[in-house]
Amino acid sequence: MKKTILLVVVILTLTIFIVGCWAVKEPINTPTSAKNEPPDISVFINNREIKYVCAKNKWDGTAFDREDTFVNILKEQMDIPIIVNGSIAEITFKDNPPEEFKIMDILIDEEGRQIYTEREVINVPVELINGKCSFKIEKHFASLLRSRYEPDKKDIRGFIMIASWGENECEYAFIIKTYDKN
C-alpha cells in the first residue's frame, strides 16, 4: 500500500514538473500584436509629434462597443494642434505593420461629433511601405458647405486610421485644426 501511494505521489510530481516545463512562455522581444495589443505608431506633421489614441474595434474575437474616438480625445486633450493646409503628415508603425490600412478625414465640431454625412468623409489614399506612409493635408472640401463660410475660421478635423491584421482591427485617431495660409 505504501509503495502504491509513493508511486502515485512520484507520478503526480513528475506530471506537474513536466507540464510546468512545457508551458509556453512568451519571448521577451515578441511583436506587439502577438501580445494581443495593437502596435504603437508615431504621427508627425511638419516634424511636430501629434498625440493620437488607439481603440480596438474587433480583437481576438471580441467586438468592442465604446465611446466615439473623437469625443474621447476632446474630453482629454485641451490643446488641439493648429496646422496649415498643405502640410505633410507622416505615420509610422513602430513594429508589426497592419495587413490593411486606410485613413479617413472628417470635419467635426467642438464636441468631436461628425458635422456632415458619410458622403463628406474624405478617404485619404495611402500605401504603407515598410510600416510608413505620408499624405498631404489638403483643405477639406466640406468646409465650404457651412451656411456662413468664414475664410479665417479654423476647421476641426478628425483623422481615423483603420488598421487590420486578419480578424483583428483597431482604429488610431488624432484631431487637428487647419487653416489656409494667406
Side-chain angles (χ1 to χ4, degrees):
M1 180 76 171
K2 287 183 178 181
K3 286 183 180 181
T4 306
I5 293 174
L6 181 62
L7 183 62
V8 169
V9 170
V10 169
I11 291 174
L12 284 174
T13 304
L14 284 173
T15 303
I16 291 170
F17 178 77
I18 291 170
V19 169
C21 289
W22 282 348
V24 177
K25 299 204 180 355
E26 186 176 305
I28 293 172
N29 60 354
T30 301
T32 307
S33 68
K35 296 178 188 173
N36 295 326
E37 292 299 323
D40 288 333
I41 65 169
S42 63
V43 178
F44 282 88
I45 300 176
N46 293 343
N47 296 319
R48 177 180 177 187
E49 188 166 15
I50 305 298
K51 293 180 184 176
Y52 71 91
V53 298
C54 177
K56 296 174 186 173
N57 291 338
K58 297 179 286 185
W59 207 265
D60 288 339
T62 302
F64 292 82
D65 182 25
R66 56 183 164 66
E67 185 173 40
D68 182 86
T69 309
F70 297 138
V71 172
N72 198 11
I73 291 173
L74 288 175
K75 283 182 179 178
E76 297 177 18
Q77 188 175 344
M78 300 308 280
D79 294 327
I80 304 300
I82 299 171
I83 306 292
V84 65
N85 285 320
S87 297
I88 302 297
E90 298 172 343
I91 314 297
T92 304
F93 281 82
K94 298 193 177 181
D95 64 13
N96 193 28
E99 297 162 13
E100 293 182 43
F101 187 66
K102 60 184 176 180
I103 301 175
M104 292 164 285
D105 179 0
I106 304 166
L107 283 178
I108 59 175
D109 64 18
E110 290 80 15
E111 284 80 42
R113 308 246 183 258
Q114 186 171 326
I115 296 175
Y116 300 109
T117 67
E118 293 300 313
R119 289 190 328 219
E120 288 77 28
V121 172
I122 296 173
N123 289 310
V124 180
V126 292
E127 181 180 353
L128 276 178
I129 299 174
N130 296 323
K132 299 178 183 181
C133 71
S134 63
F135 62 95
K136 189 174 186 178
I137 298 175
E138 303 283 358
K139 181 173 187 69
H140 197 293
F141 74 92
S143 65
L144 301 172
L145 298 176
R146 286 192 218 115
S147 58
R148 286 189 351 197
Y149 174 67
E150 302 168 38
D152 294 334
K153 184 172 178 163
K154 293 174 178 63
D155 292 323
I156 304 173
R157 297 170 61 180
F159 289 83
I160 290 183
M161 301 170 282
I162 306 291
S164 302
W165 297 262
E167 296 295 315
N168 290 339
E169 178 186 284
C170 72
E171 69 182 49
Y172 300 90
F174 65 92
I175 296 175
I176 58 174
K177 290 182 180 179
T178 59
Y179 67 98
D180 287 328
K181 193 174 191 177
N182 293 332

